[in-house]
Amino acid sequence: SVVATNPVTVTPTFTVCEGANLNLISSATSAVSYSWNGPGVYTSALQNPTVTAILPAGAGNYSATAFFTNGFLTCTTSAVSNVSVVATPTIAVVYPANICQNATANLSAAAPGAISYSWLGPNSFNSSIAAPTIPAIQPASAGVYSTTALFSIGTLTCSKTTTNQINVVGTSTVNVTP
């Protein structure tokens, strides 16, 4: 007996953001079952499995095997899909939680592998540098500031955002009456 086999096709490469779902896809005409093996201890018996909330440790080769049988003999064909995961690590932000009016607020953000940063805040504040300053800060600038870091592999760009509260303590002019 001869068991007819067909090539198994998979999406050859994937690039996904950390935390995204990875939908693996395989297809082989007349296959009776499939199996997938991947980085770490990943395995699946589904034709098109989903890896939920993938982490950078999940990057690597995922091998799909299609099984064919005539009832007596089972044969296989395999293909590999390479997966890259854009890591989006935590952003370390330094900012003054409380600051006096008219002082200079020094802000900074750092995240390994970040290619750019952006800041948004009250009173129309925005910046595209990692360490902006707000000179002579005023009470209208008190509020929530969001910091976004961008990361990429190839043409895929992923982001991570964090928020922080800055409180501005108002000061008044002291008048002395002689």
Side-chain angles (χ1 to χ4, degrees), residues 84-109:
S84 297
V85 178
V86 179
T88 55
T90 300
I91 306 168
V93 177
V94 176
Y95 67 98
N98 297 296
I99 190 167
C100 293
Q101 179 179 354
N102 295 317
T104 297
N106 295 305
L107 314 173
S108 70

Side-chain angles (χ1 to χ4, degrees), residues 99-103 123 134-142 145 168-171:
I99 190 167
C100 293
Q101 179 179 354
N102 295 317
N123 205 25
I134 305 171
I137 195 167
Q138 297 300 306
S141 294
Y145 286 75
V168 179
V169 179
T171 57

Side-chain angles (χ1 to χ4, degrees), residues 32 38 50 61 76 83 94 99 107 123 126 143 145 148 156 164 175 177:
V32 294
T50 297
N61 289 330
T76 62
V83 175
V94 176
I99 190 167
L107 314 173
N123 205 25
N126 67 65
Y145 286 75
T148 301
L156 180 65
N164 297 284
N175 294 321
T177 304

Side-chain angles (χ1 to χ4, degrees), residues 3-108:
V3 176
T5 62
N6 291 299
V8 60
T9 59
V10 296
T11 302
T13 59
F14 284 99
T15 302
V16 295
C17 296
E18 177 179 346
N21 290 341
L22 169 66
N23 298 311
L24 298 168
I25 300 167
S26 62
S27 176
T29 303
S30 69
V32 294
S33 64
Y34 295 84
S35 75
W36 284 86
N37 292 301
V41 295
Y42 180 79
T43 60
S44 176
L46 298 174
Q47 178 180 355
N48 301 313
T50 297
V51 179
T52 57
I54 194 165
L55 297 173
N61 289 330
Y62 287 78
S63 177
T65 302
F67 295 86
F68 306 87
T69 187
N70 64 2
F72 300 103
L73 179 64
T74 300
C75 299
T76 62
T77 60
S78 296
V80 173
S81 181
N82 182 269
V83 175
S84 297
V85 178
V86 179
T88 55
T90 300
I91 306 168
V93 177
V94 176
Y95 67 98
N98 297 296
I99 190 167
C100 293
Q101 179 179 354
N102 295 317
T104 297
N106 295 305
L107 314 173
S108 70

